[in-house]
Amino acid sequence: MSLESEADLPAEAPLPGTLPESLRAELVAFRRDLHMHPELGNQEFRTTAAIKARLEKAGLRPRVLAVGTGLVCDIGDWNSGRPALALRADIDALPIPDTKSDCPYRSTVPDRAHACGHDVHTTVVLGAGLVLADLHRQGLLPRPVRLVFQPAEEVLPGGAADAIECGVLEGVGHIIAVHCDPRVDAGRIGLRAGAITSACDRLEISLGGPGGHTARPHLTTDLVTAAARVVVDVPAIVARRIDTRAGLAVTWGRIESGHAPNVIPQHAELSGTVRCLDIEAWRQAPDVVVAAIDEVANLHRAKSEINYVRGVPPVVNDPAVTDLLRDAMTARRGAASVEGTEQSLGGEDFSWYLEHVPGAMARLGVRTPGERTVRDLHQGDFDADESAITAGVELFTAAALLDGVS
């Protein structure tokens, strides 16, 4: 992936805090190192150590979270009385293989890959921290800033809850983040006030019955049929009990039962997800979904055990903080660098922070301009145009410099 040249930047930056070429190249190398050494949630020891070492080299004092991975780092005058702006990055990878055959920085760890762009997010927050620390030394940072490098975003209900428990929001007035978007060109961001992601929960269901012979299904519980009816009927029932505008969807990813064609099994397992666009409907979802499963199982005389795993609520962007991100990107690259974006059905545990303080997440463009192929998230061939790192750093530094949110 190409580095952005100085010619691609505005001729006169309206704010300090743009990246010098030497730091830009270092950040690309840092991101590639993370990409080659992905670590799963709550196992990010090497990643945490690498971030900590670079921040300490800059004279900062990062603190590893009590959970053992992830860290926070404070910059600026924390005695000023002003609430801090928090910059959040997630640092974990996915349990999938890296399938990029011709990439010199592809993952070196079998069945592990940074296929969601968390290596980019981490590098952006690191780079912003290094630039903001320099601005603070020059007396140019108007508010304190906290860097939050959060573990285990991919592990429901998300490492954000642990980070909050560790006190990362103490003294924070608002919080911002980015998420890679392969549908948006590098050098641009997508913004949306209000809900920008969806709620996401997980369902694990076990159905049981006495079993029997397929010649005599009337004498037992036809468990395969019961499982099939749960798959088909539960989403339909739920759709009639929650306002359809909430976009609540039950979708199955796994169903297993039986071993022989003439034996009715005693056990069946199903698992899937519950996704929802609306936060109020998300709060109702467990009761509604569990009741629907029980009804269908009882109708077919199957015993049901349901593990409803609460995931994350939608990320609901605060309008004022969204405007701060819009103003920051506009100050760096002009109004044309900001585009609207739709609400995603993906889940993101950044939402847990927004239960405590106002904040906003921007979609960071990582597609090389002119490229027709879209490398989707959570796919083994995912990669990012590395000029997005510069755009992300300068977005965050501009947000810290602009006094748009009290």
Side-chain angles (χ1 to χ4, degrees):
M1 294 295 171
S2 62
L3 292 179
E4 187 173 283
S5 67
E6 290 291 341
D8 294 325
L9 297 173
E12 295 182 4
L15 291 170
T18 56
L19 274 175
E21 182 61 38
S22 58
L23 181 55
R24 190 178 316 171
E26 179 191 350
L27 292 177
V28 169
F30 189 90
R31 179 258 170 172
R32 292 185 176 188
D33 179 72
L34 295 185
H35 200 84
M36 293 173 67
H37 302 93
E39 297 173 301
L40 299 184
N42 297 315
Q43 302 173 23
E44 312 96 332
F45 298 104
R46 183 187 186 277
T47 303
T48 297
I51 299 166
K52 183 174 183 287
R54 185 59 185 90
L55 292 171
E56 288 177 339
K57 181 180 178 182
L60 297 171
R61 300 175 65 182
R63 308 182 301 279
V64 176
L65 299 182
V67 292
T69 61
L71 61 163
V72 296
C73 184
D74 294 338
I75 301 169
D77 182 6
W78 281 73
N79 296 316
S80 66
R82 299 205 66 189
L85 170 66
L87 314 180
R88 177 268 198 172
D90 36 13
I91 66 174
D92 57 325
L94 285 164
I96 64 175
D98 189 333
T99 61
K100 298 188 296 294
S101 59
D102 58 349
C103 178
Y105 51 86
R106 65 178 296 192
S107 173
T108 61
V109 184
D111 299 319
R112 302 287 186 268
H114 269 296
C116 201
H118 293 188
D119 53 336
V120 175
H121 307 165
T122 299
T123 305
V124 165
V125 172
L126 173 65
L130 297 176
V131 173
L132 291 172
D134 187 59
L135 291 177
H136 174 59
R137 286 189 285 269
Q138 299 175 52
L140 298 176
L141 187 62
R143 66 168 65 247
V145 172
R146 173 167 291 156
L147 314 181
V148 179
F149 297 93
Q150 176 214 303
E153 190 275 331
E154 299 286 356
V155 181
L156 286 179
D162 289 332
I164 293 168
E165 185 69 21
C166 290
V168 301
L169 292 181
E170 294 176 6
V172 169
H174 50 283
I175 186 168
I176 57 177
V178 293
H179 197 295
C180 290
D181 192 333
R183 302 165 301 170
V184 178
D185 283 350
R188 298 169 62 88
I189 62 169
L191 283 179
R192 176 187 176 92
I196 193 172
T197 70
S198 299
C200 180
D201 298 336
R202 188 172 73 243
L203 270 177
E204 298 170 349
I205 304 168
S206 176
L207 299 179
H213 199 292
T214 57
R216 294 176 289 277
H218 59 292
L219 299 179
T220 186
T221 297
D222 187 351
L223 207 60
V224 172
T225 296
R229 295 317 310 180
V230 168
V231 168
V232 174
D233 292 346
V234 167
I237 293 171
V238 170
R240 291 299 177 266
R241 295 182 181 173
I242 294 285
D243 190 329
T244 55
R245 291 172 295 182
L248 192 148
V250 179
T251 306
W252 307 102
R254 185 179 70 93
I255 178 170
E256 293 184 14
S257 185
H259 301 283
N262 62 340
V263 178
I264 294 176
Q266 297 178 320
H267 187 70
E269 292 184 354
L270 305 88
S271 58
T273 59
V274 179
R275 297 181 186 271
C276 186
L277 300 174
D278 178 75
I279 193 165
E280 292 305 321
W282 176 73
R283 293 188 174 117
Q284 302 173 42
D287 291 340
V288 173
V289 172
V290 168
I293 294 168
D294 282 338
E295 287 177 26
V296 176
N298 290 337
L299 181 64
H300 294 274
R301 298 181 296 177
K303 295 180 180 180
S304 59
E305 294 182 5
I306 305 165
N307 183 22
Y308 193 109
V309 182
R310 209 54 158 145
V312 294
V315 172
V316 182
N317 281 348
D318 178 81
V321 184
T322 304
D323 286 343
L324 172 64
L325 289 173
R326 185 184 310 278
D327 292 345
M329 195 65 176
T330 299
R332 292 298 191 199
R333 295 169 182 254
S337 65
V338 181
E339 60 185 66
T341 190
E342 62 187 10
Q343 184 178 2
S344 164
L345 279 169
E348 232 289 352
D349 77 350
F350 183 69
S351 54
W352 290 123
Y353 299 106
L354 306 188
E355 297 278 295
H356 300 270
V357 297
M361 170 176 281
R363 301 207 176 280
L364 180 68
V366 295
R367 179 179 63 192
T368 300
E371 185 176 6
R372 295 184 178 181
T373 301
V374 176
R375 301 186 182 189
D376 202 6
L377 299 170
H378 287 216
Q379 299 296 318
D381 66 346
F382 175 78
D383 204 353
D385 186 314
E386 289 167 325
S387 65
I389 296 170
T390 298
V393 169
E394 295 186 352
L395 168 69
F396 279 168
T397 57
L401 291 168
L402 293 174
D403 197 16
V405 180
S406 61

